[in-house]
Amino acid sequence: MKIRILAAGGKMPQWVQEGYGDYVKRLPREMTPELVDIPLGQRGQKNSPAQIDKARQKEGRSMLAALSAREHVVALEVRGKPWSTEQLAQQLRDWQMLGENVSLLVGGPDGLALDCVARAQQSWSLSPLTLPHPLVRVLLAEQLYRAWTLLAGHPYHK
């Protein structure tokens, strides 16, 4: 199983790169996610609903084009199902048993395109809170690491 994170966004601040990198380097090679940056769609100065939708659709098309037909897709979506760390650890175990690659889709500042949500076999909500877009990458990496430590019997998760 290979895990990929497809995340809409541009160059992230140094603190995001360092935070994300710190957690993924702790994971064993077979669990280390590949981060795929998806360019943000162009937004206008006034950000009309039509401009926002057009940008979100462009990001969605790029994400869908990056997926293979046999990938298990998980949409990170505010309306998705919240998982505890223990439930995420079980998901990791289940994904390993699937024998398919797993792609986690992280939308841009305006969320995921509806086509991406429709393509996903699962929808996962990190939080009902509105999180800063760059922080999602760090939080996701930390939670994947924490879930792996549970499976490995490592004392990180207390």
Side-chain angles (χ1 to χ4, degrees), residues 68-82:
S68 71
R70 290 201 30 90
E71 277 184 270
H72 184 80
V73 178
V74 180
L76 274 76
E77 181 55 22
V78 72
R79 292 175 299 274
K81 182 177 179 185

Side-chain angles (χ1 to χ4, degrees), residues 76-119:
L76 274 76
E77 181 55 22
V78 72
R79 292 175 299 274
K81 182 177 179 185
W83 294 336
S84 67
T85 301
E86 293 80 8
Q87 289 170 319
L88 176 57
Q90 183 60 51
Q91 288 296 322
L92 276 178
R93 181 174 284 135
D94 292 347
W95 295 338
Q96 286 177 312
M97 301 306 282
L98 277 176
E100 296 176 352
N101 292 332
V102 175
S103 284
L104 307 171
L105 307 184
V106 179
D110 302 301
L112 280 172
L114 293 178
D115 289 346
C116 290
V117 176
R119 167 65 173 84

Side-chain angles (χ1 to χ4, degrees), residues 132-146:
H133 185 68
L135 185 59
V136 170
R137 294 175 186 221
V138 178
L139 181 61
L140 183 54
E142 192 278 336
Q143 286 300 297
L144 289 172
Y145 173 69
R146 184 177 294 272

Side-chain angles (χ1 to χ4, degrees), residues 53-67:
D53 188 54
K54 185 176 178 182
R56 187 174 36 233
Q57 293 306 318
K58 182 175 190 267
E59 295 158 5
R61 284 191 301 275
S62 296
M63 281 189 188
L64 293 172
L67 296 171

Side-chain angles (χ1 to χ4, degrees), residues 13-76:
Q14 186 68 27
W15 67 268
V16 173
Q17 295 173 30
E18 289 173 1
Y20 176 85
D22 183 54
Y23 289 109
V24 297
K25 76 180 179 188
R26 298 179 193 188
L27 287 162
R29 191 169 44 126
E30 68 272 8
M31 292 298 289
T32 302
E34 173 192 358
L35 179 61
V36 179
D37 284 312
I38 302 295
L40 285 176
Q42 185 69 30
R43 285 159 174 80
Q45 281 185 303
K46 296 183 182 185
N47 285 332
S48 71
Q51 289 172 323
I52 290 170
D53 188 54
K54 185 176 178 182
R56 187 174 36 233
Q57 293 306 318
K58 182 175 190 267
E59 295 158 5
R61 284 191 301 275
S62 296
M63 281 189 188
L64 293 172
L67 296 171
S68 71
R70 290 201 30 90
E71 277 184 270
H72 184 80
V73 178
V74 180
L76 274 76

